[in-house]
Every structure is written in structure tokens, then in C-alpha cells.
Amino acid sequence: DARGGRQGAWRRARRRGGGMATVLSAMGRGAGRWANPLWFLGSPAALASAATPASATLTASVTPSAAAFPSEGAPHIGWRVVGTRHASTDAGLKKTVLHDFHLKHGAKMVPFAGYSMPIKYEDSIMDSTTHCRSVGSIFDVSHMCGMTIKGAGAIPFIESLVVGDIQSLADNTGCLSVITNKNGGSIDDTVITKVNDGQIYMVVNAGCREKDLAHIGSHLDQWNSKSGAGDVSLHVHDERFLVAVQGPAAAAALQKLVNFDLSGMYFGSFKVTGVNGHESFITRTGYTGEDGFEISIPNGAALDVMEALLDGSGLKLAGLGARDSLRLEAGLCLYGNDLNMDISPIEAGLTWTIGKRRREKWDFVGGDIIKKQLEEGAKRRRIGLVCSGAPARQHSPIVSPEGEVVGEVTSGAFSPCLKKNIAMGYVKKGFHKAGTQLQVSVRNKLGDAVVTKMPFVETKYYRK
């Protein structure tokens, strides 16, 4: 059965040295059991049942406009969009436009967040991780959901849902923010770009797409029904492909394909421009801790741009395995593991995402609860751990020197760059300070661990 296939795959991977198993296990249940690559290894029956859950079914049939940013007169696509970027497989999984390209390049495909995605290519996950840090890598991240919110009330509307100070951003710059629920928990984390006063571009996580669009859409309907609020429209960019180019060689590779100097584009900057002749959105950002870019490209140009980026650049294709190792080394949250509906930005160590201006009124969903938590102090805190024992897994208990269970690991893996076992997790207040000695229980065996400041690996974002 599926469980037997999963356990067998685990044992086989462990006998081969544990590299792939470590990273796969670290990904845990990021978007639910059906999204865990390890669950399906060696189990065709389980793979065949990996259809997108009923809750993720999209309901309308409005075809997205081909325009980069639809005009005010364009169809209001809203949140009931039937995507055109992804085809469905017989197993119910979606495929990105580069699915055949991945197979051609030797990708090992696995189910993730309802998509068939590459976990690795010919290189091992460890080699792929270190290559990204030393040279650079290209990731297909088109399972992520990009959208444009446009209209006179676009910024006040999105600020009613997120903690960030979007209004104070300069045009064509962005920031990390959190979409919160009425209890102060995190619906999703997202990168939001202020294109101008009447337009924002944002990207949300693949596993959160349906609940994010439902949440935003319901509030959008309420917003537009209010007199004088300023009409706002939402466009989901299913007509576009999203690729992340990360690492020291990323800028040089992209520079060949654009007609402006990338050295004037800093971390968080955004630009609509041609990439190899195709109108694209470029954001200088990423999920690895390295300098890099996320590029939104028309679907029809995906293959052309990917081949141009690879040509003579030294960049290599990388999959979900390396991406998970890289983000953990960078101390970045994986939604579903390190962040969820019950964890607030304060508990997650993301207080810095709450803009100073937003702390004057706390006028976003759950703001009153988050304000109280900030004033009184969070009862649990996200921490980084360096572990001397076996690699910690999601849900591994964190134990005090006195034997009290004080928390739980949310992500853990062997760091290919540090050659150490690292983890993130949550502990009771008082056990979160750097240098605190703790233990982690892995398969009922305690191993020493020490609370460590994050990121574990120094970030190299390109800043002024």
C-alpha cells in the first residue's frame, strides 16, 4: 500500500546514504499529505490517487487576458479562474509548460502541491545545492501563483489583508509580507510589489493558491460593494510562466537577455521589460539566500528563455530538493511546515514585516490580536538549531536539559554547504535565545542541539 511504499523508499534511500531522504523528509507535509514527494516514492497506486483535493477545484471559466497588465476595461477575472498555464496528467497532477523540457534534461518528477515537479536532475541534491551557491541555478517555480491587483483602491485593499506597509514603498519595489486571518495566524507569506499607486503585483505559494484566492476574492467582493472605496480588480497570471534564476552567475546570465544595466536593480526591485525579446516581469528576489531574480514570462516564450539562460552561463537546472535545502540554510520559512494558520508573524520571527505605519492602527485582518501578542510577548518562538545527533525531522520533539518537551521541529535536514545537521522549530518563550543548549528526539534517541541565529548560511542579496 502507499504507506508500505513510503517506508520502503525511506529505507532504500537511507541505505544509499540518506542525502535525498534527508531533504525529502525535511519537506514534510508542506501542502498536505498529497503534496509530500516521499509519500509517493515506489507507490504507483498512491501516485495515481494524488489528485488535487476537492477544496482546490476552480469553478469559473473566464480565460485570462494575454495583456501583461489588463486595462480597467479588461474582463474581471477575479478569484474564480480556470488556469491555462497547466495541463492535467492522468493522475490528476498539473504539469507546467516545461514538463517535457524537464524530462529531456533527466529530471526526477514528483507530486508537489498538486503539480508534477522536478525534485532533482542528474546531479545529486547535495551537489545541486552547492552549485547554486558557488555558480548558480535555474528553478521552475511556475506552480507559484502570480497576480495583479489594480484600481484606485488597490493599495488600501491589499493593506486590509496583509501586515506590510505597501503604501510607503517606492514604485517598482516590493517586500515580504504575511496574509493574516482573524485569529492573527498566517494564511500565507507573499512577496508584494508596489508597481505604482494603483497597481500591485504579488506571488503566493502553490499549496495556498486556492485558499488565498478565495480569501482575497471574498474580501474583494465586499470592498467593491462599499461606496467610495475605489473599484479594484484582480488578475491571476495563468498566462505566464515563472522561473527563478539564483546564485553568483545569475545576473551575468540574465544581463545578456535584457537591454538595461542590471547593476542598477537592487534586492526587491521590479521591472517590466523584454527578456530575450519577450515582455516579462523581473523581480530581484528569491528563496535561496543568494542574489537572483524571479522572472514572469509569457507561456509561449518559456522554452526560448530557459535555453537562453542556460546557454554558456554555467547555470544548471535545479529542483525542489535543492530549493528546500537552500531555503532552510537561508532560514526561510516553508509554508505548511514553519508557518501555518495557527502561527502568527510575531511567533514566526516576522515582526519586522509589520510596517511602522501599520502599527499605528493595526487595521488589517487579525491586527488587534497581533498587537496584543506583540505587547505581551509571544508564548512560542521560531528558532534555528544546529544538531549533533541524527538529522531532525518535522515533528521531532525539542527537549530541555531537564527533560521537558519545550517545542517541536518544523523543518530539518543535513546542510550540504555547512556539512552539519540543521533545523528550524518552535519552542516555549525563554528557550529561544541563541546559545541555549537543548536536545532533539529522533527515533526516540536524544541528540544535542544548540539554538543558533539564522540564517545558517550568510545571505548575499544585492543591496545598495
Side-chain angles (χ1 to χ4, degrees):
D1 60 16
R3 183 173 177 84
R6 178 188 182 195
Q7 292 172 337
W10 168 267
R11 289 192 294 269
R12 291 191 294 275
R14 289 286 292 174
R15 287 197 294 269
R16 291 194 293 268
M20 189 172 185
T22 297
V23 178
L24 287 171
S25 179
M27 298 176 76
R29 294 191 291 270
R33 186 185 75 178
W34 54 278
N36 184 351
L38 186 58
W39 182 264
F40 302 109
L41 287 177
S43 178
L47 178 60
S49 67
T52 303
S55 62
T57 300
L58 302 179
T59 56
S61 57
V62 181
T63 302
S65 165
F69 288 116
S71 65
E72 292 290 354
H76 181 165
I77 294 174
W79 56 279
R80 299 180 181 88
V81 178
V82 170
T84 60
R85 183 172 64 213
H86 314 285
S88 294
T89 68
D90 291 339
L93 297 175
K94 299 173 186 176
K95 296 190 295 185
T96 74
V97 295
L98 286 180
H99 185 268
D100 291 343
F101 174 85
H102 295 315
L103 295 177
K104 177 183 175 181
H105 286 80
K108 165 67 177 178
M109 308 298 288
V110 298
F112 182 76
Y115 296 81
S116 176
M117 296 295 294
I119 187 75
K120 66 181 289 294
Y121 294 84
E122 294 180 356
D123 288 345
S124 70
I125 290 174
M126 289 187 63
D127 288 344
S128 187
T129 301
T130 55
H131 185 81
C132 183
R133 298 233 186 268
S134 61
V135 181
S137 301
I138 303 176
F139 303 83
D140 177 355
V141 292
S142 52
H143 58 309
M144 306 282 281
C145 179
M147 67 187 82
T148 288
I149 296 176
K150 191 173 182 180
I155 292 177
F157 167 69
I158 200 62
E159 284 195 344
S160 71
L161 304 181
V162 304
V163 304
D165 183 358
I166 312 305
Q167 177 182 303
S168 298
L169 292 172
D171 287 359
N172 294 311
T173 63
C175 64
L176 177 70
S177 195
V178 181
I179 305 170
T180 48
N181 60 34
K182 63 181 182 180
N183 298 317
S186 303
I187 294 175
D188 202 359
D189 55 338
T190 175
V191 174
I192 301 178
T193 296
K194 176 186 174 184
V195 180
N196 55 49
D197 286 338
Q199 186 170 298
I200 68 167
Y201 170 70
M202 61 188 291
V203 178
V204 300
N205 286 302
C208 299
R209 172 184 168 120
E210 315 314 332
K211 70 171 180 176
D212 288 359
L213 292 179
H215 178 75
I216 295 170
S218 65
H219 283 272
L220 182 62
D221 291 341
Q222 296 174 32
W223 181 274
N224 284 331
S225 69
K226 293 190 299 185
S227 176
D231 285 346
V232 176
S233 64
L234 169 65
H235 175 80
V236 179
H237 289 291
D238 280 332
E239 79 285 1
R240 289 183 165 270
F241 167 81
L242 191 64
V243 59
V245 188
Q246 302 283 294
L254 181 58
Q255 184 65 74
K256 297 184 298 181
L257 309 185
V258 299
N259 60 4
F260 70 99
D261 187 356
L262 287 171
S263 66
M265 189 176 187
Y266 298 95
F267 181 69
S269 297
F270 173 87
K271 189 174 182 67
V272 179
T273 187
V275 174
N276 216 35
H278 308 286
E279 187 177 71
S280 304
F281 313 157
I282 301 177
T283 309
R284 197 155 197 165
T285 188
Y287 193 49
T288 64
E290 297 294 319
D291 179 30
F293 306 84
E294 291 186 357
I295 312 168
S296 177
I297 308 158
N299 284 337
L303 186 61
D304 176 66
V305 172
M306 289 290 280
E307 290 178 340
L309 286 167
L310 287 169
D311 186 22
S313 64
L315 301 177
K316 290 186 177 182
L317 297 171
L320 294 172
R323 195 162 184 256
D324 193 63
S325 294
L326 291 158
R327 71 90 192 167
L328 180 56
E329 290 179 340
L332 301 174
C333 293
L334 173 64
Y335 192 91
N337 281 40
D338 316 299
L339 202 59
N340 60 41
M341 296 283 279
D342 298 318
I343 297 174
S344 76
I346 309 299
E347 294 170 321
L350 298 175
T351 305
W352 58 271
T353 64
I354 308 174
K356 181 179 179 180
R357 182 178 65 83
R358 306 307 309 280
R359 301 185 195 194
E360 296 174 2
K361 295 184 178 180
W362 300 92
D363 52 350
F364 51 84
V365 176
D368 53 341
I369 293 176
I370 294 174
K371 176 186 178 183
K372 182 178 179 181
Q373 194 175 72
L374 182 62
E375 292 172 344
E376 297 179 355
K379 295 181 180 179
R380 58 179 173 177
R381 297 286 294 274
R382 181 170 66 98
I383 60 167
L385 291 168
V386 172
C387 308
S388 60
R393 312 297 184 199
Q394 187 186 23
H395 304 305
S396 293
I398 301 173
V399 183
S400 74
E402 292 73 34
E404 177 190 4
V405 175
V406 295
E408 182 178 274
V409 169
T410 52
S411 290
F414 178 77
S415 165
C417 296
L418 298 177
K419 304 295 188 287
K420 298 177 181 179
N421 294 324
I422 60 175
M424 280 197 288
Y426 284 82
V427 295
K428 292 180 181 179
K429 182 179 179 181
F431 293 92
H432 65 281
K433 295 182 179 179
T436 300
Q437 297 293 324
L438 296 169
Q439 291 182 308
V440 175
S441 177
V442 180
R443 296 187 293 277
N444 296 318
K445 293 183 179 180
L446 290 174
D448 292 336
V450 60
V451 178
T452 305
K453 290 184 178 180
M454 295 183 287
F456 298 101
V457 174
E458 182 182 2
T459 57
K460 298 175 184 176
Y461 303 127
Y462 182 72
R463 303 181 186 273
K464 285 186 178 180

